[in-house]
């Protein structure tokens, strides 16, 4: 056994083998949940080896949804899994990209800080990686940090991050390595194959890292002979080969890993005293989720992202999870129907499909694709009293729909779609226009947590039960303050306003005597939804959808 310094933070690096998309993020988040349930202060870092500074400029078809942290970070969706599973708020510092690391080093070099030295990948880049990890750990005073290294072993782009991990171990810190690998079952022989995992562990060993645990992702159960083989060929104790076969419900994974005592094994390796896991609330949540039989059909009307033959639902991952949390709290099983808004543009009669759903969500989005179809769907929800929840762009378009069809402002639009709109009910604010004049388009985005002041005696107030709530934002356009009066005289209620900035409308709704549930928000409430604590707007929406 290695000897570790006492009373220092513990670093657990998680790498991936064989192929991407194994759910390393969920595995990382699950281990975090287990350790947290044992009473430790835990955080998680995602390393994204791409050159982009952050995920802010990435198209959703590239890496799925962009997660937004309270401090306004635009980050890989894995951070969302961490926050949901850990029940902790993370910051933008919990994400490290190649872009950030090089940017910092080059900036320092330009400032002359390296005093004429040759600046090199090792040690300067690896030092910067280690500095970022240890600074976060010291600042947050955590006992455990899980560091997920994006990509797979054998790729070029994550080599320096792996090297930094190796150095941290070599330097005598309290470090463990977890390798998440894949065991394919070869159709023609019907046998589970360990060779790809053996190869990927060899590649990892070649980089100076011996894994302490191998987590085996597979479609089928891992059996004893395979376990023995992996242990022998990879020099990992047989009890540290952990099975992680596909499950229907991702929230089961902390339970599955806890059954195999991964938490205790981690503590044991680090010479820490064993502590009992307390996952009883989590278990109750999972059982409740699995036991719900009554179905609720939710239509999600969006612009869909097809990549080749595959649809990337990853773009809406937090919306999906928020629906699941709220459905569980209401003891129903959500059935999500993905409806392409463009279908309605081609043929309005297709709107009839919405008769078959219990509730409609129009999620966030950018640009003009499918906008008119979304507006038609919102009108359909309003007129036919189908519960409706508009998220960010969905809220803005609900306002456009109301302007056109109730306020009689036929030419109403958002300037995002029509920059010359005659009636710009959704538009940039004056300070943003100023920035655009200075070609600072990037700086016009309103990002991160904001306080919303909730108006009493409204649907929003009934749902939140609070005068002030915090939600997260990621948008540029705003309801144009010029038209607020017009809307209100026509019966639309702005029930949430920004506390900080005057006249920024954050939540809008129809009175409950007019529509059983029609609400939209400029925020992204899906980012604050937790398994054990669903977001009130989603909760209210699901509850109205089953009524
Ligand atoms: N495109 C809209 C805006 O920028 C909405 C953004 C979103 O839905 N996240 O304001």
């Amino acid at each position: 056994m290695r000897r570790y310094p006492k009373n220092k933070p513990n670093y657990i690096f998680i790498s991936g083998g064989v192929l991407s998309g194994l759910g390393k993020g969920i595995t990382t988040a699950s281990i975090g949940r287990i350790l947290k349930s044992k009473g430790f202060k835990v955080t998680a870092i995602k390393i994204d080896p791409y050159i982009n500074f952050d995920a802010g400029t990435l198209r959703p078809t590239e890496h799925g949804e962009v997660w937004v942290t309270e401090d306004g970070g635009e980050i890989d969706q894995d951070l969302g899994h961490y926050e949901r599973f850990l029940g902790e708020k993370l910051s933008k510092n919990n994400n490290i990209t190649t872009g950030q690391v090089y940017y910092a080093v080059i900036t320092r070099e330009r400032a002359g800080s390296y005093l004429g030295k040759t600046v090199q990948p090792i040690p300067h880049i690896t030092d910067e990686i280690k500095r970022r990890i240890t600074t976060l750990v010291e600042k947050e005073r955590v006992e455990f940090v899980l560091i997920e290294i994006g990509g797979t072993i054998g790729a070029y782009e994550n080599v320096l991050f792996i090297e930094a991990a190796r150095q941290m171990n070599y330097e005598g810190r309290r470090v463990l390595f977890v390798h998440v690998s894949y065991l394919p079952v070869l159709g023609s022989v019907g046998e589970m194959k360990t060779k790809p995992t053996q190869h990927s562990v060899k590649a990892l060993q070649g980089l100076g890292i011996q894994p302490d645990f191998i987590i085996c992702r597979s479609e089928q159960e891992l059996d004893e002979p395979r376990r023995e083989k992996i242990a022998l060929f990879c020099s990992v104790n047989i009890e540290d080969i952990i099975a992680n076969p596909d499950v229907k419900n991702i929230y089961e994974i902390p339970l599955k890993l806890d059954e195999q005592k991964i938490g205790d094994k981690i503590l044991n390796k680090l010479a820490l005293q064993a502590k009992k896991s307390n996952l009883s609330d989590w278990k109750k949540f999972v059982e409740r989720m699995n036991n719900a039989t009554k179905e609720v059909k939710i239509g999600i009307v969006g612009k869909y992202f097809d990549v080749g033959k595959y649809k990337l639902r990853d773009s809406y991952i937090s919306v999906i999870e928020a629906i699941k949390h709220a459905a569980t709290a209401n003891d129903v099983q959500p059935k999500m129907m993905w409806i392409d808004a463009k279908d309605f543009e081609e043929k309005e009669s297709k709107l009839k499909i919405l008769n078959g759903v219990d509730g409609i969500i129009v999620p966030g989005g950018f640009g003009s694709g499918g906008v008119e179809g979304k507006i038609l769907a919102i009108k359909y929800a309003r007129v036919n009293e189908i519960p409706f929840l508009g998220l960010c762009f969905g809220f803005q378009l609900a306002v456009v729909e109301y302007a056109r069809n109730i306020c009689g402002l036929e030419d109403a639009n958002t300037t995002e779609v029509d920059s010359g709109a005659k009636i710009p009910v959704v538009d940039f604010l004056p300070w943003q226009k100023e920035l655009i004049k200075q070609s600072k388009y990037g700086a016009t985005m309103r990002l991160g947590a904001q306080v919303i002041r909730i108006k009493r005696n409204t649907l929003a107030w009934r749902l939140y039960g609070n005068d002030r709530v915090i939600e997260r934002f990621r948008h540029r356009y705003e309801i144009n303050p010029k038209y607020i009066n017009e809307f209100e005289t026509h019966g639309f209620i702005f029930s949430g306003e920004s506390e900080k900035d005057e006249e920024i409308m954050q939540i809008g709704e129809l009175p409950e005597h007019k529509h059983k549930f029609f609400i939209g928000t400029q925020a992204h409430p899906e980012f604050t939804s937790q398994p054990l604590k669903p977001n009130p707007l989603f909760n209210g929406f699901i509850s109205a959808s089953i009524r």
Side-chain angles (χ1 to χ4, degrees), residues 99-356:
Q100 290 167 16
V101 172
Y102 274 84
Y103 190 81
V105 171
I106 294 170
T107 307
R108 229 174 275 139
E109 186 273 333
R110 290 289 82 187
S113 309
Y114 291 106
L115 307 173
K117 273 214 161 82
T118 310
V119 182
Q120 294 177 298
I122 304 171
H124 302 101
I125 294 295
T126 46
D127 278 355
E128 176 61 18
I129 295 168
K130 291 187 286 180
R131 191 189 66 75
R132 282 174 180 253
I133 297 171
T134 52
T135 311
L136 179 90
V137 166
E138 279 156 26
K139 201 172 137 232
E140 313 248 321
R141 297 175 179 277
V142 291
E143 295 165 284
F144 274 93
V145 56
L146 296 136
I147 306 135
E148 179 190 346
I149 303 178
T152 32
I153 296 302
Y156 281 112
E157 48 174 25
N158 55 19
V159 162
L160 287 172
F161 292 103
I162 294 161
E163 168 60 13
R166 185 197 67 78
Q167 289 176 18
M168 285 182 73
N169 184 43
Y170 163 75
E171 287 161 4
R173 292 178 200 266
R174 304 173 61 85
V175 175
L176 290 183
F177 297 103
V178 176
H179 191 57
V180 182
S181 192
Y182 180 61
L183 289 110
V185 174
L186 208 59
S188 53
V189 282
E191 192 195 331
M192 185 181 273
K193 292 294 191 186
T194 63
K195 194 73 88 201
T197 295
Q198 294 177 36
H199 277 303
S200 106
V201 171
K202 283 226 170 69
L204 191 59
Q205 289 164 339
L207 297 170
I209 288 176
Q210 169 60 40
D212 297 284
F213 294 94
I214 297 179
I215 298 195
C216 301
R217 289 281 299 113
S218 55
E219 277 149 50
Q220 296 171 19
E221 278 298 336
L222 180 68
D223 61 358
E224 264 332 278
R226 275 3 89 164
R227 213 184 273 267
E228 279 164 19
K229 211 165 178 181
I230 300 168
L232 176 65
F233 282 95
C234 302
S235 313
V236 173
N237 296 332
I238 189 148
E239 64 270 22
D240 298 332
I241 311 291
I242 309 284
N244 189 8
D246 285 355
V247 282
K248 265 220 230 84
N249 178 353
I250 52 164
Y251 295 101
E252 285 173 20
I253 294 172
L255 305 175
K256 296 269 182 224
L257 297 182
D258 193 55
E259 275 166 21
Q260 298 173 72
K261 307 232 171 324
I262 190 163
D264 295 339
K265 290 172 186 171
I266 288 174
L267 297 185
N268 185 31
K269 279 191 197 288
L270 292 163
L272 293 170
Q273 212 152 43
K275 281 191 188 177
K276 249 180 94 98
S277 309
N278 181 3
L279 292 166
S280 52
D281 282 357
W282 194 269
K283 196 165 172 213
K284 262 190 233 145
F285 163 76
V286 170
E287 280 167 358
R288 197 169 175 188
M289 195 167 187
N290 290 347
N291 290 341
T293 46
K294 201 177 145 203
E295 211 173 67
V296 62
K297 285 202 194 87
I298 304 302
I300 303 167
V301 181
K303 168 169 94 174
Y304 288 92
F305 306 106
D306 300 324
V307 175
K309 274 204 224 144
Y310 301 93
K311 270 201 166 79
L312 280 185
R313 303 226 163 111
D314 263 16
S315 329
Y316 297 117
I317 190 95
S318 294
V319 176
I320 298 174
E321 297 310 317
I323 292 173
K324 289 194 209 162
H325 305 157
T328 303
N330 285 281
D331 294 304
V332 287
Q333 206 54 257
K335 186 164 178 238
M336 293 171 231
M337 297 174 60
W338 301 90
I339 302 168
D340 195 333
K342 286 196 206 108
D343 289 351
F344 303 145
E345 293 173 0
E346 282 158 21
K347 231 176 168 188
E348 248 189 85
S349 60
K350 285 199 176 164
L351 281 163
K352 285 211 187 75
I353 185 180
L354 296 175
N355 288 335

Side-chain angles (χ1 to χ4, degrees), residues 444-499:
T444 54
M445 195 79 124
R446 197 157 163 270
L447 281 167
Q450 301 276 345
V451 178
I452 309 177
R453 246 190 300 122
I454 310 280
K455 212 182 259 171
R456 290 259 167 148
N457 303 318
T458 59
L459 170 59
W461 205 89
R462 179 168 75 70
L463 298 175
Y464 279 112
N466 210 325
D467 295 322
R468 290 172 87 244
V469 299
I470 294 175
E471 291 289 0
R472 299 184 197 176
F473 292 79
R474 180 174 187 250
H475 67 118
R476 290 207 162 83
Y477 296 83
E478 307 283 358
I479 306 306
N480 191 337
K482 266 207 310 221
Y483 296 96
I484 290 170
N485 246 335
E486 187 72 24
F487 281 105
E488 288 181 337
T489 49
H490 283 88
F492 195 84
I493 302 169
F494 287 107
S495 49
E497 278 183 43
S498 163
E499 182 174 77

Side-chain angles (χ1 to χ4, degrees), residues 363-367 391-394 396 416 445 474-478 522 524:
F366 291 84
L391 305 171
C392 204
F393 206 23
Q396 296 172 353
E416 177 170 4
M445 195 79 124
R474 180 174 187 250
H475 67 118
R476 290 207 162 83
Y477 296 83
E478 307 283 358
Q522 190 62 81
H524 286 279

